[in-house]
Amino acid sequence: VQHAMAYAATLESVKAAAAIIKPYAKVTPVLTSATLDALAGRSLHFKCEIFQKGGAFKFRGACNAVFSLPEQSANKGVVTHSSGNHAGALALAAQMRGVPAYIVVPWGAPRIKLAAIQTYGGLITQCEPNVPAREQAAAKIQAETGATLIPPYNYGPVMSGQGTISLELLDQVPHLDAIVVPVSGGGMISGITVAAKGINPNIKVVAAEPVGVGGHGADVAASKAAGHLVDCPQPDTMADGLRAKLGDLTWPVVRDLVDEVITVEEPEIVAAMRLCYERMKLVVEPSGAVGLAAVLSPQFNANSKLKTCRNVGIVLCGGNLDLDALFKSLTR
């Protein structure tokens, strides 16, 4: 394990973020379900980031990033490229600070996420749904406006903001043996991990990752297994918030400090979502249910390192999904 100072986020930077976002972000509740405990054969503690402002954990990182900018920079605005939750979160944080937010969104992003960006006053530019196109469009806006680029995950202040989930969760449930975190770009898991291990070095942190249709999209699992970043095709998954790739700032934390990666398939995500709705009465988007899917998977139960984890925290990271189909089906 490398010395923690090498990382873009540390326990100290996460504590500083907690102080910055305190006036704006919500302390989200931890909920439990006896039914799900029985299914999992362990005690599950659900950190409900679905109740965070903007409907997802992303507000924490965006808020820390926006409010830690010096005034001169902030006044020129912020820019990002994102498929949804980070974009909405950044627009909201910028609106709270009274500065413009320029948002590059790929074509085909969920309508509900576009609507959220507009509600929060974000200025939308649409582009082709691939990373180079997104980066190009954002760079153009930066050049024209002088806005500060706030990346969705591969950025210290964002990682530190997401890490505040750990501070709250370990305050709410100090006896956790493990925390399970959905992963793609790694902003949330890297912040959570440096903070959680800083507080309790023995706690296990587990990444939950969709493999997608065809089963080839799990780049975190592949990279962990290889010991270096492995390029995988983008996962074809309903978890639209989990299609990014690890960055050069998030990967070192995942490489050195994350204990295990559990991969899940599409039907497992649907089953976990359904349990959240039916048993816990919680609206969770597919990406948000991936942690529960991992804990209920045979892989998790067969893992010798995780067998002894009795008390498990699961981050329900977001609840922004298009419910049109549901309500249409109810309309006579």
Side-chain angles (χ1 to χ4, degrees), residues 108-118 322-324 328:
R111 220 176 34 80
I112 177 169
K113 293 187 179 177
L114 285 177
I117 296 165
Q118 286 165 325
D322 200 331
L323 291 171
D324 274 2
K328 281 203 179 98

Side-chain angles (χ1 to χ4, degrees), residues 13-23 64 160-161 164 167:
S13 72
V14 172
K15 284 181 170 168
I20 287 173
I21 72 173
K22 193 171 192 251
N64 186 48
S160 300
T164 59
L167 302 185

Side-chain angles (χ1 to χ4, degrees), residues 39-81:
L39 266 180
R42 50 191 105 227
S43 294
L44 308 181
H45 306 267
F46 294 91
K47 181 64 169 153
C48 293
E49 289 298 297
I50 53 177
F51 299 134
Q52 189 48 265
K53 293 211 176 127
F57 76 95
K58 294 276 190 184
F59 179 70
R60 295 173 183 269
C63 185
N64 186 48
V66 167
F67 281 92
S68 47
L69 284 176
E71 190 136 345
Q72 272 179 307
S73 309
N75 289 339
K76 290 180 182 159
V78 288
V79 59
T80 198
H81 49 87

Side-chain angles (χ1 to χ4, degrees), residues 19 25 28 41 45 57 76 88 97 108 123 141 155 171 182 188 193 197 204 208 233 245 251 254 256 272 286 308 314:
T28 55
H45 306 267
F57 76 95
K76 290 180 182 159
R97 188 159 179 185
L123 306 159
I141 292 167
Y155 186 60
D171 188 46
M188 174 168 48
T193 303
K197 300 254 181 183
K204 298 267 189 284
K245 296 186 187 305
W251 161 241
V254 173
D256 300 344
T308 54
I314 298 175

